[in-house]
Amino acid sequence: MGEVLALVEARLRTALGEPDARAAVTFLGTDRIEVLRFVDGDVVRYATLGMSAHPMTDPTSALADPVKGPRAELVLSVRGGLADTDKVLRPLAVLASTPQVEGVVVAAGASLDVGEPLWPGAPFSSVLVAEPGGLVEDLELDEPMEPVRFLPLLPMTSNEAAWKRVHGAEALQERWLTNGTDLRDPLRRSVSLD
């Protein structure tokens, strides 16, 4: 477990630079989840560290395989200085512990909801999990372990989350693209869904 997390942290440092802050959260019955903060100009990135320590297990499986299965970490990018986004550390740790707590596999296209604003005054309580491989490349591990994927999180308003449930993740991303939505704006309004 520690070896995987050391490799994950090294990959994050290679892709995003040196973290300027880190915090750890432990929930009863789960492993510790750290959240690292990276500042790149006016963009602040938050990356989880700990979610990939164990493979995610399909909830329909009778037994959890300790080696095989998808592994992931979460990455959130926002514009700095516009909101108190550092308060996202605990909600991010909650999302990263979801596979351990609820036995779900987090993958691109999924919606994750924390049930409260991601940070004070945020118009978002949920995120859309985007495709990995853009910002941080997948981390290959020794066979038979699957690679660690770094999944970008795109904050969604409650209206966007409801619309996504009906029309799907791809349709919502297309709507954002068509409208030139700045998904890094921590104060943005919901995209037009007419």
Side-chain angles (χ1 to χ4, degrees), residues 59-191:
T60 60
S61 297
L63 288 171
D65 190 312
V67 178
K68 292 182 185 173
R71 294 175 189 255
E73 295 290 354
L74 308 175
V75 181
L76 173 70
S77 300
V78 293
R79 296 214 180 285
L82 302 176
D84 189 8
T85 56
D86 280 350
K87 296 284 196 283
V88 78
L89 301 177
R90 185 169 177 76
L92 265 184
V94 167
L95 295 178
S97 66
T98 302
Q100 282 185 67
V101 175
E102 297 179 21
V104 297
V105 175
V106 176
S111 299
L112 302 173
D113 196 316
V114 292
E116 61 185 37
L118 292 174
W119 52 81
F124 323 104
S125 65
S126 62
V127 293
L128 174 64
V129 181
E131 290 291 333
L135 186 62
V136 184
E137 282 184 40
D138 294 351
L139 172 64
E140 297 294 332
L141 299 173
D142 294 337
E143 291 288 338
M145 292 189 284
E146 292 186 29
V148 176
R149 304 198 187 292
F150 297 88
L151 302 170
L153 301 180
L154 308 174
M156 292 188 291
T157 65
S158 55
N159 286 346
E160 290 168 340
W163 197 85
K164 182 251 177 198
R165 280 192 291 279
V166 173
H167 299 282
E170 201 172 303
L172 178 58
Q173 289 179 298
E174 192 64 40
R175 183 63 57 114
W176 283 334
L177 195 60
T178 303
N179 286 277
T181 306
D182 180 3
L183 296 173
R184 293 179 179 167
D185 181 350
L187 303 173
R188 75 171 179 84
R189 298 187 184 282
S190 185
V191 71

